[in-house]
Amino acid sequence: MLRIYQNTYRRTARKAVVYSATKVVCCNHSTLCNITSNPRRTGGAGGHWEQHSNGNNRGHEEFLLGGNQARGWTIPPNSRGYGMLVVRVLKGALKLRYLVLGGAIGGGVSLSKKYEDWKEGLPDLKWLEDALPQGERWSQFSRNLIEVGSVVKNAIDIAKEDIKAKTTVAALGISVDESRKKYDKLQSQVETLQTEIMNVQIKYQKELEKMEKENRELRQQYLILKTNKKTTAKRIKKSLIDMYSEVLDELSGYDTGYTMADHLPRVVVVGDQSSGKTSVLESIAKARIFPRGSGEMMTRAPVKVTLAEGPYHVAQFRDSDREYDLTKESDLADLRREVEFRMRASVRGGKTVSNEVIAMTVKGPGLQRMVLVDLPGIISTMTVDMASDTKDSIHQMTKHYMSNPNAIILCIQDGSVDAERSNVTDLVMQCDPLGRRTIFVLTKVDLAEELADPDRIRKILSGKLFPMKALGYYAVVTGRGRKDDSIDAIRQYEEDFFKNSKLFHRRGVIMPHQVTSRNLSLAVSDRFWKMVRETIEQQADAFKATRFNLETEWKNNFPRLRESGRDELFDKAKGEILDEVVTLSQISAKKWDDALTLKLWEKLSNYVFENVYLPAAQSDSFNTMVDIKLRQWAEQALPAKSVEAGWEALQQEFISLMERAKKGHDHDGVFDQLKAAVVDEAIRRHSWEDKAIDMLRVIQLNTLEDRFVHDKAEWDQAVKFLENSVTTKLVQTDETLAQMFGPGPWTRFAYWKSLTQDQQKRRSVKGELDKILKNDVKHLPTLSYDELTTVRKNLQRDNVDVDTDYIRQTWFPVYRKHFLQQALHRAKDCRKAYYLYTQQGTECEISCSDVVLFWRIQQVIKVTGNALRQQVINREARRLDKEIKAVLDEFSDDEEKKAHLLTGKRVQLAEELIKVRQIQEKLEEFINSLNQEK
């Protein structure tokens, strides 16, 4: 049996020719016969057999046919029949191949034609181009699909992790339900915390943005009001009651004691505690604007309420821009909380009541124009939580306000209690015995109808029960005891009560115009404006006289100066301080270098001598010890000390500029205290940048690595630096020795001084120590035991008994002076040894290692001073300028601080004169408007 394969083989004989070959495998012999036909290139005349061997060393033959035997293959005789059969089979296979190929080509053409016919028969689908995404839309759609795929992948990963976690939990012996519960609990906690954090961040961001916006607006308003105060005041048309209220506000700041200078009319609401004072005021204002309490004292400070007519029912504090909409319950609640907060904030030092006035304005349709002051209720008994002087303080405050001869007293009496229990009527009689400015109000008459005798109520309202007299008597109902009732509901209840009351309606106890809060409000307003018109010009004349007296006093004391108040003086001082800061940046570089070099050596000299120079001199290897000490110093303390020196140099230069400014011909001493406080506070807050220390550390370490003096000029500077430094230390050491050993013979003779016993002992010890140093000039810094014993015995022979510690204490300054003198001699020897040093280095005959040390210190000081100077000019001066501006801004908003720092007769007189002028101008403006209204 034959298996035929077609392949390609390359002939290796003579020429390389590629044939299309056919393999004939003889299956029974496991041999492979290759028959080559159809040569692509003519390479030989005929074919030939080739012997091959298989893996079993059994050969097979391969016959290669030449190009001339393409039609008939020559096969050996024993295989001719099989060969012919193979040839026929192959010939048929080749024909079949062409048939199949032709059929495929024809079928493809026919199929293409049918596809074109089918395509032309399809409907028009161009509308899909608009429906389906194109271009960028398709790209976005693809990206969305990719994102969805990633989400699904993440979900699969999470599911895998969940399965893994469950497997782990099962392996640990924990049930899946328990782990799921714990996981859900922790997950909920995490989500809750994340939500809370997010809410807090959002709230904080909103508040921050709101505060920044308000700050910008307030700053703009402040600048506008400050520069165009008078122009703005003339441009805005104000109502009469607003103008009058501003006058009272100015007076409250000028005359806190309410002396005769303040006799302007106002309505003072007085009464016993819980008598209904606040409710009457709220009924007149048509809004529940005050906090409530169950028997607790709520009114702890005077509340000045200015009522004015307006299109909207709103309330506003004098020192705030917020308007509270009194038609909204939320704004009413905020207003009551703010009133309570201000009252409690005004009470300080353990007091129960305060004299600080809380001023607010209430505007609304139908409100009567007037100014009312609600005072704390009068008490007869104090509780344990009240201050000991609460009762007397309330009595004094009430008398104080009622003592104003032009104040209208609104006396509130509780109708539901016995009139004899009232405390307010006695006080009112003391201040207004004739009743020319008192209006009596009986409250809670709805309760009195059930409890009191009608004749008794008639006597009260006709002024026959009390000896107190009044302009008018009124009865009102201010509520039903419900905190949530609105003013409209209370007024409706009041009107219904007086319409249907047996006491007031059927029996005719009182006239109709004497009931209801509305009639009371009209009566009080009419009396208020009548008194204002009668007294306002008198008050204006009084302030005009006060102004004349103050101006005369100013001209006599300060004839060449203008009246400048604290605000104007503060602005002037602020400008001078900022000008000095600008001058600080104009200091020359050389001056900064000198100041910084001096300050650096002042800070570093003690460490150089005590921790580097002297310890190195005691060691056998001076240079090695110096290298170690300097590197440790540069890595640890030197950068911080350098920054400290730079900060002190900056402070010193700025203070010196301020001191030089005081010597100028235009200096004003009234600013000195303020300037000093501002500079001290700014310098206290100012700190050097932290990164400067790291920068200096690198520079100083690199500089100290240089151990070779480069030229003769630097050598001479180093020698001079060493001599000056040693000389300075020598002077300090002589001062220490002078204190230890006492004055010399000439000083004792000239100034009649003598030595103490200790100084005499010190001198004796010094004499023995000088002998040791004289015998050994290169003595070590410490005394040996034998030397100490010798000194003690020598002193004992002179009847001087001292211990070894006493000798050591005397030795240290003596040896230091000796060492410094030797160092000074070496420095003089090294002046001309530079070229010898350059040739021999450390092996120089003259020891100049200390000169090299001080040269290295000098170089460090130079580069450090240069770096600090650049830091001062480029950064620290501007940062100090910002600190000073911040301090000035804080001081400008603190009136107490300005009053404390800007003092003196000149300032106080100018402040009083400016205040009186403002009050007089407001009074005249109000009088003009009042006359125009008439």
Side-chain angles (χ1 to χ4, degrees):
M1 182 177 181
L2 298 177
R3 294 181 183 174
I4 303 172
Y5 301 90
Q6 189 169 358
N7 207 336
T8 301
Y9 290 88
R10 186 179 302 274
R11 182 179 175 182
T12 58
R14 296 184 180 178
K15 294 183 179 179
V17 181
V18 180
Y19 296 91
S20 177
T22 301
K23 297 180 181 179
V24 182
V25 179
C26 302
C27 297
N28 54 347
H29 298 291
S30 298
T31 59
L32 179 63
C33 302
N34 291 344
I35 303 174
T36 305
S37 65
N38 287 331
R40 297 176 188 172
R41 292 170 51 189
T42 304
H48 65 276
W49 289 92
E50 289 187 0
Q51 292 292 125
H52 298 276
S53 61
N54 56 16
N56 298 323
N57 297 323
R58 295 175 63 184
H60 73 274
E61 294 179 336
E62 182 180 65
F63 183 77
L64 301 180
L65 298 179
N68 297 327
Q69 295 172 315
R71 293 186 178 181
W73 294 347
T74 302
I75 301 176
N78 55 353
S79 301
R80 185 179 301 271
Y82 293 103
M84 294 302 294
L85 179 62
V86 171
V87 170
R88 292 191 184 96
V89 172
L90 289 175
K91 186 177 181 180
L94 291 174
K95 289 181 179 180
L96 181 63
R97 179 178 61 183
Y98 291 116
L99 291 175
V100 171
L101 179 60
I105 293 173
V109 172
S110 176
L111 182 61
S112 175
K113 186 176 180 180
K114 289 183 177 292
Y115 170 76
E116 292 295 333
D117 295 339
W118 174 77
K119 184 177 179 181
E120 291 176 359
L122 289 175
D124 188 8
L125 299 177
K126 289 185 178 180
W127 60 273
L128 288 176
E129 294 180 359
D130 297 330
L132 294 177
Q134 298 284 336
E136 183 62 28
R137 294 176 59 195
W138 176 255
S139 300
Q140 182 64 30
F141 179 70
S142 302
R143 286 195 294 269
N144 292 337
L145 287 179
I146 294 172
E147 291 178 359
V148 171
S150 63
V151 171
V152 173
K153 183 179 178 182
N154 292 335
I156 295 172
D157 294 340
I158 293 172
K160 291 180 179 179
E161 292 293 334
D162 191 16
I163 296 172
K164 184 177 179 181
K166 290 180 180 180
T167 306
T168 305
V169 169
L172 293 174
I174 304 173
S175 65
V176 176
D177 294 336
E178 292 178 358
S179 64
R180 173 57 62 183
K181 290 180 180 179
K182 292 181 179 179
Y183 175 80
D184 293 339
K185 184 177 180 180
L186 291 174
Q187 187 70 20
S188 62
Q189 292 177 356
V190 170
E191 293 176 355
T192 304
L193 290 174
Q194 290 177 346
T195 304
E196 292 178 355
I197 292 172
M198 183 66 67
N199 293 335
V200 169
Q201 289 177 345
I202 294 173
K203 183 178 179 181
Y204 172 80
Q205 187 66 26
K206 289 182 179 179
E207 289 293 329
L208 186 61
E209 294 174 355
K210 180 180 177 182
M211 292 176 66
E212 290 177 350
K213 182 178 179 181
E214 291 178 353
N215 187 28
R216 289 194 298 268
E217 294 175 353
L218 289 174
R219 176 63 63 180
Q220 293 175 357
Q221 293 175 6
Y222 171 76
L223 294 175
I224 293 173
L225 291 174
K226 190 173 182 180
T227 54
N228 301 319
K229 189 174 182 181
K230 293 184 179 180
T231 306
T232 305
K234 293 180 180 178
R235 186 166 58 249
I236 300 175
K237 185 177 180 180
K238 299 178 181 177
S239 64
L240 279 176
I241 192 63
D242 289 335
M243 297 167 62
Y244 187 77
S245 179
E246 288 183 359
V247 173
L248 294 181
D249 292 338
E250 294 288 343
L251 285 173
S252 65
Y254 166 69
D255 187 18
T256 56
Y258 289 99
T259 60
M260 294 301 292
D262 180 16
H263 289 166
L264 294 177
R266 71 205 72 191
V267 180
V268 180
V269 185
V270 296
D272 296 327
Q273 183 179 352
S274 302
S275 61
K277 297 184 298 78
T278 303
S279 298
V280 170
L281 199 153
E282 287 182 334
S283 181
I284 295 174
K286 298 183 181 181
R288 309 199 71 168
I289 57 178
F290 293 104
R292 290 288 188 274
S294 301
E296 180 186 358
M297 178 184 290
M298 297 305 297
T299 306
R300 298 175 178 269
V303 181
K304 181 176 76 70
V305 182
T306 302
L307 299 180
E309 189 172 10
Y312 305 105
H313 203 186
V314 294
Q316 184 179 7
F317 290 99
R318 183 184 67 180
D319 56 353
S320 174
D321 292 333
R322 179 182 177 183
E323 283 191 348
Y324 298 87
D325 189 351
L326 302 183
T327 61
K328 297 180 180 179
E329 188 58 37
S330 59
D331 280 19
L332 278 171
D334 292 342
L335 178 62
R336 289 192 289 266
R337 281 195 295 269
E338 182 65 20
V339 171
E340 183 176 4
F341 172 77
R342 290 175 180 250
M343 285 186 179
R344 295 188 181 278
S346 66
V347 179
R348 303 184 185 92
K351 300 290 185 179
T352 306
V353 294
S354 170
N355 289 321
E356 294 185 13
V357 180
I358 300 173
M360 63 188 303
T361 301
V362 178
K363 297 181 180 180
L367 292 182
Q368 301 300 317
R369 301 176 301 171
M370 69 184 90
V371 177
L372 302 99
V373 180
D374 186 20
L375 299 176
I378 299 172
I379 60 175
S380 57
T381 305
M382 294 188 302
T383 58
V384 294
D385 58 343
M386 293 183 180
S388 58
D389 61 343
T390 301
K391 183 177 178 180
D392 295 335
S393 298
I394 294 175
H395 276 252
Q396 292 176 3
M397 186 189 305
T398 305
K399 287 182 179 179
H400 205 63
Y401 276 86
M402 291 191 302
S403 62
N404 179 1
N406 296 323
I408 301 172
I409 303 172
L410 198 62
C411 180
I412 308 298
Q413 172 68 43
D414 189 351
S416 64
V417 299
D418 295 334
E420 292 79 0
R421 295 168 56 186
S422 175
N423 299 305
V424 68
T425 53
D426 294 337
L427 287 176
V428 172
M429 283 192 299
Q430 294 176 11
C431 297
D432 185 26
L434 300 179
R436 293 178 178 176
R437 50 191 181 89
T438 301
I439 296 177
F440 183 84
V441 181
L442 185 66
T443 62
K444 304 179 184 180
V445 291
D446 53 337
L447 301 178
E449 183 184 29
E450 302 175 359
L451 302 175
D453 183 10
D455 294 333
R456 186 177 179 85
I457 295 177
R458 179 179 57 81
K459 290 181 180 180
I460 294 174
L461 296 178
S462 61
K464 296 180 179 179
L465 183 63
F466 298 113
M468 180 192 74
K469 297 181 181 180
L471 290 172
Y473 298 86
Y474 291 86
V476 297
V477 175
T478 55
R480 293 177 291 181
R482 301 175 184 175
K483 294 183 179 181
D484 298 333
D485 282 352
S486 63
I487 291 295
D488 294 336
I490 293 173
R491 285 205 163 197
Q492 185 63 42
Y493 172 74
E494 182 186 40
E495 292 179 2
D496 294 341
F497 171 77
F498 285 119
K499 287 179 181 179
N500 303 320
S501 172
K502 299 177 182 179
L503 183 63
F504 293 97
H505 182 65
R506 296 178 181 177
R507 299 185 183 182
V509 175
I510 193 170
M511 299 298 292
H513 69 273
Q514 291 181 280
V515 298
T516 70
S517 301
R518 181 177 180 276
N519 291 331
L520 171 65
S521 177
L522 290 171
V524 174
S525 178
D526 289 342
R527 185 59 191 168
F528 170 78
W529 283 106
K530 182 178 179 182
M531 190 166 286
V532 167
R533 291 186 176 93
E534 291 175 353
T535 60
I536 191 66
E537 292 187 358
Q538 298 176 2
Q539 299 303 308
D541 293 339
F543 274 98
K544 189 180 295 182
T546 304
R547 173 179 176 176
F548 176 78
N549 294 333
L550 292 173
E551 288 178 344
T552 302
E553 184 179 0
W554 180 268
K555 291 178 181 179
N556 293 333
N557 290 277
F558 310 101
R560 296 179 179 274
L561 296 176
R562 186 170 57 87
E563 308 93 352
S564 300
R566 284 193 177 91
D567 292 337
E568 186 177 353
L569 291 173
F570 184 86
D571 292 339
K572 187 177 179 181
K574 179 179 180 180
E576 292 184 3
I577 294 172
L578 294 178
D579 289 342
E580 296 301 331
V581 177
V582 174
T583 306
L584 186 66
S585 62
Q586 297 175 353
I587 297 177
S588 63
K590 185 178 183 305
K591 189 172 182 180
W592 274 121
D593 288 337
D594 295 341
L596 289 169
T597 300
L598 185 62
K599 184 61 68 174
L600 280 169
W601 182 239
E602 179 184 336
K603 284 285 183 182
L604 306 178
S605 60
N606 189 61
Y607 187 92
V608 170
F609 274 95
E610 302 297 334
N611 297 82
V612 180
Y613 188 28
L614 293 176
Q618 299 174 11
S619 65
D620 297 334
S621 180
F622 180 87
N623 294 326
T624 303
M625 181 62 70
V626 165
D627 290 341
I628 295 172
K629 293 288 185 180
L630 289 179
R631 185 165 188 84
Q632 291 177 351
W633 186 36
E635 289 178 347
Q636 298 174 3
L638 179 58
K641 276 291 182 181
S642 301
V643 167
E644 183 179 345
W647 184 85
E648 291 183 5
L650 174 62
Q651 175 184 354
Q652 184 175 343
E653 286 298 320
F654 186 65
I655 293 176
S656 64
L657 287 175
M658 301 293 292
E659 292 296 329
R660 284 197 295 271
K662 290 182 180 180
K663 300 177 181 179
H665 64 279
D666 58 346
H667 171 67
D668 195 344
V670 76
F671 302 140
D672 291 345
Q673 190 175 356
L674 173 62
K675 289 181 177 179
V678 171
V679 172
D680 292 342
E681 180 66 18
I683 290 176
R684 186 186 65 81
R685 296 183 184 183
H686 179 261
S687 60
W688 212 276
E689 285 187 332
D690 295 335
K691 62 181 181 181
I693 294 179
D694 298 331
M695 178 189 69
L696 286 177
R697 181 179 291 109
V698 175
I699 294 174
Q700 290 166 348
L701 284 171
N702 292 334
T703 304
L704 289 173
E705 290 297 326
D706 192 359
R707 301 175 180 83
F708 188 78
V709 183
H710 301 110
D711 54 34
K712 182 68 166 57
E714 292 185 358
W715 179 271
D716 293 339
Q717 291 177 3
V719 171
K720 185 177 180 180
F721 179 50
L722 173 60
E723 291 177 347
N724 294 337
S725 302
V726 171
T727 302
T728 303
K729 279 293 179 181
L730 196 56
V731 172
Q732 296 175 0
T733 305
D734 287 337
E735 293 176 356
T736 303
L737 291 173
Q739 294 178 359
M740 182 178 290
F741 302 127
W746 170 251
T747 305
R748 293 199 302 269
F749 174 78
Y751 296 98
W752 292 83
K753 292 184 178 181
S754 60
L755 300 176
T756 63
Q757 185 177 1
D758 182 71
Q759 290 173 347
Q760 292 176 356
K761 284 184 179 182
R762 296 285 184 186
R763 283 179 174 270
S764 301
V765 175
K766 182 178 179 298
E768 296 295 328
L769 297 176
D770 288 340
K771 295 177 183 178
I772 296 175
L773 292 175
K774 186 177 181 181
N775 293 330
D776 186 3
V777 178
K778 296 183 179 181
H779 195 283
L780 294 176
T782 58
L783 291 172
S784 64
Y785 177 77
D786 294 338
E787 290 172 335
L788 289 171
T789 304
T790 302
V791 171
R792 284 188 61 192
K793 289 182 179 180
N794 292 339
L795 291 173
Q796 286 175 359
R797 285 198 297 267
D798 296 336
N799 297 322
V800 179
D801 189 12
V802 294
D803 56 8
T804 55
D805 291 337
Y806 193 87
I807 297 172
R808 289 192 182 97
Q809 291 175 2
T810 309
W811 165 258
F812 290 140
V814 172
Y815 176 78
R816 171 164 294 189
K817 181 178 181 180
H818 172 74
F819 174 80
L820 293 174
Q821 289 174 343
Q822 295 295 321
L824 197 58
H825 290 309
R826 287 195 302 271
K828 293 179 180 179
D829 295 338
C830 291
R831 287 179 182 175
K832 299 180 180 181
Y834 173 70
Y835 296 106
L836 189 62
Y837 161 76
T838 56
Q839 294 176 2
Q840 299 181 3
T842 57
E843 303 297 332
C844 181
E845 297 177 0
I846 302 175
S847 179
C848 296
S849 298
D850 40 5
V851 176
V852 177
L853 167 63
F854 276 81
W855 174 80
R856 295 169 71 181
I857 299 297
Q858 191 177 36
Q859 296 303 115
V860 167
I861 292 176
K862 285 182 180 179
V863 298
T864 303
N866 185 42
L868 291 175
R869 174 177 55 81
Q870 294 178 2
Q871 181 76 8
V872 167
I873 295 175
N874 297 332
R875 297 286 299 170
E876 299 304 325
R878 289 200 295 267
R879 294 180 67 240
L880 180 61
D881 184 22
K882 290 182 180 179
E883 293 290 351
I884 290 175
K885 289 180 180 178
V887 173
L888 287 171
D889 290 340
E890 291 181 10
F891 283 10
S892 65
D893 297 333
D894 192 342
E895 296 297 331
E896 295 182 359
K897 181 76 71 174
K898 288 193 289 188
H900 175 69
L901 296 176
L902 293 172
T903 57
K905 182 179 179 180
R906 169 188 162 189
V907 180
Q908 293 176 355
L909 185 59
E911 280 287 310
E912 188 174 3
L913 180 56
I914 292 172
K915 200 72 175 177
V916 170
R917 282 177 178 169
Q918 291 176 354
I919 294 173
Q920 186 199 357
E921 290 174 359
K922 289 184 178 295
L923 280 172
E924 292 177 351
E925 182 183 3
F926 174 74
I927 292 172
N928 293 332
S929 300
L930 187 63
N931 293 332
Q932 290 176 4
E933 189 179 77
K934 287 181 181 180

